Amino acid sequence: TAPTAIDEGSAIGLALTGAHDPSVVDTAAGFTYAFDCGDGAGFGALGPSSTASCPTSDNGPRNVQGKVQDKDGGSTTYGATVVVREVAPTATFHAPASVSEGDNFNISLTNPTDPSAVDTSAGFSYSFDCGAGYGSATSTSSTVCIAVNDPGVTVRGRITDKDGGSTEYTAHVGIVNQPPVVRILGPSAGSAYAVGSTVALSGSFTDSGRNDTHAARWSLDALTTPGVVTETNGSGTVTGSFMFTTPGVYSVVLTVTDNSNAFGKATTVGGAPALIVVFDPNSGQATGGGWVPAGQSKTSFQLSAKYQKGVLSGSVVVTLPNGQTVTSTSLAWLVISGSKMQIRGEATLDGASGYSFLVTGTQSPYAFRLKVWRTTDGTVLYDNVPGASDDIDLASPQALGGGTIAIH
């Protein structure tokens, strides 16, 4: 007796049963048995056992035999063919539960096993599907995938032995959506325009979700205008334009939102707050004088600025607490917004040129702020309200210790 088929790695059980002989004497003396496992080694030695167990190490047909022999050397041989079936290898599949959109992540197959010692010795091949189909099979048991887009992706791994037997594993990897990264490109910080000008706006964004689509909005203080988006593979540019009809200093914010409602914002350009200055060259006048406290010392000022027939004229002179004097050499613009005013210009510091200044003042209540910086590198040398915004609405000028400011 012999099985018709078994799995590779299992043993083939052989037996010779019901042995008999026409000679009563031979039968009484008993018989001996030998077996050929079909592995090329031939028959084993004769012995009293009528069974044998033949190990297998690979798939394929095995021609097995059994021999029964009496005391006088008379023997009969029996044969059978046993099919040793291929068994696919197995492994442990590893994949993360979730990753962030745009990140790289590993999937792998470890601890490969196969009941066939020959298959194991020959080694295995591995192939992986990161969500777009299987790649080529290689001897490398891991691969790197890219988290293309939320909400997730189904990944697969397959291990294959030399005979083509394979096992496939599947896992779902959640992908967490990430907001776009946004930049304002123009206009440059503090660019000034006459009231009624149409200002071109530009920005860009990148998104780790290459399949994401986007919408954009420009905010100019309380005013808004849609952005025009041009994109490829989830990243692109945003343009827009706006006509300013009211003088003021406008903080620019660019918001880009993806199709999963994640959004990114930009509020700076070139590392500086994104501000647009709008002035009226046909009207506006500011005058004033006084001082503001600064520790135990005072910062005193005299200022006068006026638009007349489109030309800005005037002067700003400030004495700092350390005794240095800031004297304007030119005025770039004057903005009047209700009871608030700002003057931007170039100045000397104790007679040395190369400095820029920004004066912010209010008429009700009387308040004054001066910011002075080195023109070449932007290093701030003096600011009586340090850290405050340059936006006219957020500049927080310091209440006067004495004097007045008049805005027309």
Side-chain angles (χ1 to χ4, degrees), residues 97-197:
S98 67
V99 294
S100 294
E101 188 177 58
D103 282 357
N104 292 337
F105 63 93
N106 287 308
I107 56 176
S108 62
L109 287 163
T110 62
N111 303 318
T113 60
D114 194 299
S116 166
V118 175
D119 288 356
T120 301
S121 178
F124 307 103
S125 62
Y126 305 88
S127 53
F128 297 95
D129 176 7
C130 289
Y134 272 102
S136 300
T138 70
S139 60
T140 303
S141 61
S142 65
T143 195
V144 177
C145 301
I146 300 176
V148 177
N149 215 69
D150 65 296
V153 64
T154 297
V155 295
R156 296 177 175 86
R158 185 163 57 205
I159 180 173
T160 305
D161 65 18
K162 66 173 178 55
D163 301 307
S166 65
T167 302
E168 182 182 68
Y169 299 88
T170 300
H172 180 78
V173 179
I175 299 177
V176 181
N177 186 50
Q178 298 298 303
V181 177
V182 185
R183 295 178 60 206
I184 296 173
L185 302 178
S188 58
S191 295
Y193 301 88
V195 69
S197 298

Side-chain angles (χ1 to χ4, degrees), residues 180-185 202-205 217-219 251-256 263-270 272-274:
V181 177
V182 185
R183 295 178 60 206
I184 296 173
L185 302 178
S202 65
S204 66
F205 64 92
R217 182 182 73 251
W218 294 96
S219 300
S251 292
V252 182
V253 180
L254 174 58
T255 304
V256 178
F263 64 89
K265 288 185 176 182
T267 59
T268 62
V269 55

Side-chain angles (χ1 to χ4, degrees), residues 14-395:
L14 303 179
L16 287 164
T17 62
H20 63 280
D21 192 290
S23 166
V24 175
V25 175
D26 286 355
T27 300
F31 307 105
T32 55
Y33 306 87
F35 295 92
D36 178 355
C37 288
D39 57 3
F43 276 102
L46 289 164
S49 176
S50 63
T51 63
S53 179
C54 300
T56 63
S57 59
D58 203 5
N59 61 297
R62 295 281 288 270
N63 296 314
V64 295
Q65 298 183 82
K67 180 193 295 183
V68 58
Q69 184 169 308
D70 63 17
K71 66 176 178 50
D72 301 313
S75 66
T76 303
T77 299
Y78 302 87
T81 298
V82 179
V83 176
V84 181
R85 294 181 295 242
E86 160 70 11
V87 177
T90 60
T92 303
F93 188 46
H94 301 275
S98 67
V99 294
S100 294
E101 188 177 58
D103 282 357
N104 292 337
F105 63 93
N106 287 308
I107 56 176
S108 62
L109 287 163
T110 62
N111 303 318
T113 60
D114 194 299
S116 166
V118 175
D119 288 356
T120 301
S121 178
F124 307 103
S125 62
Y126 305 88
S127 53
F128 297 95
D129 176 7
C130 289
Y134 272 102
S136 300
T138 70
S139 60
T140 303
S141 61
S142 65
T143 195
V144 177
C145 301
I146 300 176
V148 177
N149 215 69
D150 65 296
V153 64
T154 297
V155 295
R156 296 177 175 86
R158 185 163 57 205
I159 180 173
T160 305
D161 65 18
K162 66 173 178 55
D163 301 307
S166 65
T167 302
E168 182 182 68
Y169 299 88
T170 300
H172 180 78
V173 179
I175 299 177
V176 181
N177 186 50
Q178 298 298 303
V181 177
V182 185
R183 295 178 60 206
I184 296 173
L185 302 178
S188 58
S191 295
Y193 301 88
V195 69
S197 298
T198 298
V199 179
L201 309 168
S202 65
S204 66
F205 64 92
T206 58
D207 196 323
S208 52
R210 293 180 295 177
N211 294 339
D212 284 357
T213 57
H214 301 81
R217 182 182 73 251
W218 294 96
S219 300
L220 309 150
D221 285 355
L223 308 173
T224 62
T225 185
V228 178
V229 175
T230 303
E231 61 181 316
T232 303
N233 294 329
S235 300
T237 60
V238 182
T239 57
S241 64
F242 193 83
M243 176 183 284
F244 291 90
T245 59
T246 304
V249 178
Y250 296 85
S251 292
V252 182
V253 180
L254 174 58
T255 304
V256 178
T257 304
D258 69 15
N259 54 300
S260 297
N261 292 320
F263 64 89
K265 288 185 176 182
T267 59
T268 62
V269 55
L275 300 175
I276 293 176
V277 177
V278 180
F279 61 91
D280 187 346
N282 297 311
S283 66
Q285 180 179 1
T287 58
W291 68 89
V292 290
Q296 300 300 315
S297 303
K298 296 178 180 180
T299 297
S300 59
F301 67 93
Q302 291 289 330
L303 63 87
S304 174
K306 180 180 181 179
Y307 278 112
Q308 192 169 16
K309 295 182 179 181
V311 178
L312 177 61
S313 62
S315 66
V316 175
V317 179
V318 183
T319 302
L320 304 181
N322 63 3
Q324 291 181 305
T325 300
V326 178
T327 305
S328 64
T329 56
S330 64
L331 304 184
W333 46 258
L334 163 66
V335 172
I336 303 295
S337 179
S339 64
K340 304 171 185 176
M341 69 86 180
Q342 275 191 330
I343 303 170
R344 165 71 188 270
E346 305 303 314
T348 61
L349 181 61
D350 274 355
S353 61
Y355 300 91
S356 301
F357 72 90
L358 180 69
V359 167
T360 305
T362 61
Q363 180 174 264
S364 178
Y366 297 136
F368 174 85
R369 178 189 177 192
L370 171 69
K371 181 178 177 181
V372 180
W373 64 94
R374 188 181 293 115
T375 305
T376 54
D377 59 14
T379 301
V380 177
L381 304 176
Y382 176 79
D383 189 347
N384 63 309
V385 189
S389 171
D390 291 344
D391 190 324
I392 194 172
D393 300 311
L394 305 172

